Amino acid sequence: MSRTDRGPAAGGGTGRILMPHPAVLRGLLDAYEAAARDEPADPAGEPGPRTRDLAYTLCVSTGTRDVRRALESARRRLTDVPVAVPGGAHAGVAD
């Protein structure tokens, strides 16, 4: 995990939160999207337990309290990370 300075307006304390590794964040995002698509809703029409668990984990991992914001934050963070390709290179980086 890496640290990110969120500043004093973000909730006091040290102003820092731990951020998940991009591969972990990608896995959470992919798992949430699959569960939201494939898991049946509960009898009240709410998301199923796996989807709710993944939503919670995404919120904690992104420092948000709403799954929509967590998804936006995760996607934004992942667009800022180079894409690894086989052989240890990064997409868009010439050898």
Side-chain angles (χ1 to χ4, degrees), residues 1 19-36 50-51 53-62 67 70-71 74 78:
M1 295 195 135
M19 298 303 301
H21 187 277
V24 172
L25 195 56
R26 167 56 55 203
L28 285 171
L29 186 59
D30 291 346
Y32 175 83
E33 290 172 341
R50 174 97 173 120
T51 304
D53 287 349
L54 288 162
Y56 173 81
T57 304
L58 273 167
C59 287
V60 169
S61 298
T62 58
V67 71
L71 293 168
L78 290 171

Side-chain angles (χ1 to χ4, degrees), residues 38-90:
D38 300 334
E39 183 179 39
D42 70 11
E46 297 294 320
R50 174 97 173 120
T51 304
R52 288 192 309 266
D53 287 349
L54 288 162
Y56 173 81
T57 304
L58 273 167
C59 287
V60 169
S61 298
T62 58
T64 61
R65 294 183 181 192
D66 176 82
V67 71
R68 287 170 292 216
R69 288 187 179 181
L71 293 168
E72 291 169 6
S73 178
R75 289 179 183 126
R76 186 173 45 254
R77 289 182 186 152
L78 290 171
T79 61
D80 295 339
V81 176
V83 178
V85 294
H90 296 285

